[in-house]
Amino acid sequence: MISFGANRRGGRLPSFILIVLLVIIVILSFNYWSVSTKHGRLLDELAEMQTQVKRTDAARSRLEKRNSELMMQVDTHRKQIDQKDGDYSVLESKLQARDALVKACNDEKV
């Protein structure tokens, strides 16, 4: 009796299966290489973004400090203006009193 597997050699893969496995290995190697390259670029971008965030935080804190200093100056100037307005109103009332006194004196002379 003739068997169907008589022409096969034991333990050896057919060449097309070997070629397919090599192609799969090449594809997987290429994918691994491209993913690792992209991962490296993303790590570089992440480091750059972290540096940018640190710089932005430092600039923001400087601006907030400057803003608080300016607000304190505004409050100081506002107080000075209020004080000068008060002084102005006191001097204005004194001037009106003297004008009234001068008018009264002029009326007496006449």
Side-chain angles (χ1 to χ4, degrees):
M1 198 172 208
I2 300 174
S3 70
F4 290 106
N7 291 339
R8 288 192 161 217
R9 295 181 207 147
R12 188 157 183 220
L13 292 176
S15 61
F16 73 92
I17 292 178
L18 185 62
I19 291 173
V20 168
L21 288 176
L22 287 175
V23 168
I24 290 173
I25 289 172
V26 167
I27 290 172
L28 289 175
S29 298
F30 176 75
N31 284 340
Y32 176 77
W33 173 75
S34 66
V35 166
S36 68
T37 304
K38 189 173 184 177
H39 179 70
R41 279 185 298 185
L42 289 175
L43 285 177
D44 291 342
E45 280 185 41
L46 178 63
E48 184 179 327
M49 292 291 177
Q50 287 174 341
T51 305
Q52 237 177 1
V53 165
K54 287 179 183 176
R55 273 191 251 135
T56 303
D57 284 343
R60 182 178 47 93
S61 66
R62 280 195 315 268
L63 287 174
E64 285 176 352
K65 183 179 177 183
R66 179 70 177 145
N67 187 29
S68 66
E69 289 173 358
L70 288 174
M71 292 302 287
M72 287 175 29
Q73 284 182 358
V74 164
D75 288 341
T76 304
H77 288 132
R78 194 170 285 146
K79 288 177 185 175
Q80 288 175 353
I81 288 172
D82 290 342
Q83 182 182 5
K84 291 193 186 230
D85 281 344
D87 292 345
Y88 174 75
S89 64
V90 168
L91 290 174
E92 187 178 20
S93 64
K94 284 183 182 178
L95 180 62
Q96 287 174 355
R98 290 212 178 168
D99 282 344
L101 187 61
V102 167
K103 187 175 180 185
C105 287
N106 281 340
D107 289 342
E108 281 182 24
K109 281 186 183 179
V110 170

